[in-house]
Amino acid sequence: MSKKSNKTNDGGTIATNRKARHEYFLQDRFEGGMALQGWEIKSIRQGKANISDSYVIIKNGEAYLFGAIITPLNSASSHVICDPERSRKLLLNKRELNKLIGATERDGFTLIATSMYWKGPWVKLEFYLAKGKREFDKRDDIKDRDWSREKERMMKHSKR
């Protein structure tokens, strides 16, 4: 009997959106599975995914990832017509969908994708309910970050 290899990528991050924390106030975290085609999984395993400008839209009571780019492999997708920027359906509970619909329509939130990762053999997407930052909010964040660095330096030098 041959053993099955346990070669699943548990918790491995595929792609992240680093601009999200700078551009938005992130509120509530959500996690959803993605409905992907075979060529997309092969490309993701090769690290050919980018979610830097992606967001989630709600259409007809279903959630879709919009703006994510998964570059097709030349060898794996010769017989299929590949659209690297197609919108991919997210698999969420009805309760989660209702909460997202209410927040986006009533409260003016947007849904920003922050990371794509492996959870067992499945690809999951982490996204947040978010509100956009204005320019002065970004400057305040930079100022606070600089002050905390300076404070750490002062504390480090005063201990000597």
Side-chain angles (χ1 to χ4, degrees):
M1 284 202 282
S2 65
K3 266 189 171 178
K4 240 182 156 178
S5 69
N6 293 333
K7 194 179 176 185
T8 58
N9 298 328
D10 289 330
T13 303
I14 299 165
T16 58
N17 184 356
R18 295 184 183 183
K19 292 191 310 186
R21 294 201 189 281
H22 180 69
E23 301 282 333
Y24 298 95
F25 292 115
L26 302 180
Q27 302 286 327
D28 295 336
R29 178 189 178 277
F30 291 92
E31 176 186 69
M34 296 174 56
L36 298 171
Q37 296 176 350
W39 68 268
E40 292 172 324
I41 292 292
K42 291 177 182 178
S43 294
I44 287 172
R45 287 206 170 120
Q46 295 296 317
K48 306 245 183 216
N50 182 4
I51 62 166
S52 62
D53 293 327
S54 63
Y55 54 94
V56 176
I57 57 173
I58 308 280
K59 190 186 335 177
N60 299 329
E62 295 178 338
Y64 293 93
L65 176 65
F66 188 78
I69 299 171
I70 299 176
T71 308
L73 298 174
N74 292 335
S75 60
S77 54
S78 60
H79 63 285
V80 179
I81 300 170
C82 303
D83 182 14
E85 294 187 33
R86 76 177 183 92
S87 53
R88 293 155 181 95
K89 185 176 177 180
L90 294 179
L91 308 172
L92 298 169
N93 293 337
K94 194 69 172 172
R95 184 173 13 99
E96 290 175 326
L97 278 170
N98 289 336
K99 183 177 179 181
L100 294 174
I101 290 169
T104 55
E105 289 180 358
R106 282 193 307 265
D107 302 333
F109 282 96
T110 185
L111 302 169
I112 299 298
T114 55
S115 70
M116 185 187 296
Y117 55 91
W118 292 102
K119 191 170 187 180
W122 298 286
V123 175
K124 299 286 184 170
L125 182 78
E126 176 185 79
F127 61 97
Y128 282 84
L129 271 174
K131 283 221 182 216
K133 286 185 182 178
R134 296 202 174 98
E135 197 62 39
F136 61 86
D137 292 328
K138 294 176 191 176
R139 285 195 296 263
D140 287 343
D141 284 348
I142 292 169
K143 201 180 298 181
D144 290 342
R145 191 172 47 228
D146 289 344
W147 169 241
S148 65
R149 271 195 220 120
E150 190 65 32
K151 196 167 38 171
E152 288 293 324
R153 284 188 197 119
M154 289 166 54
M155 295 297 287
K156 190 175 182 181
H157 290 299
S158 68
K159 289 180 182 177
R160 288 184 184 177

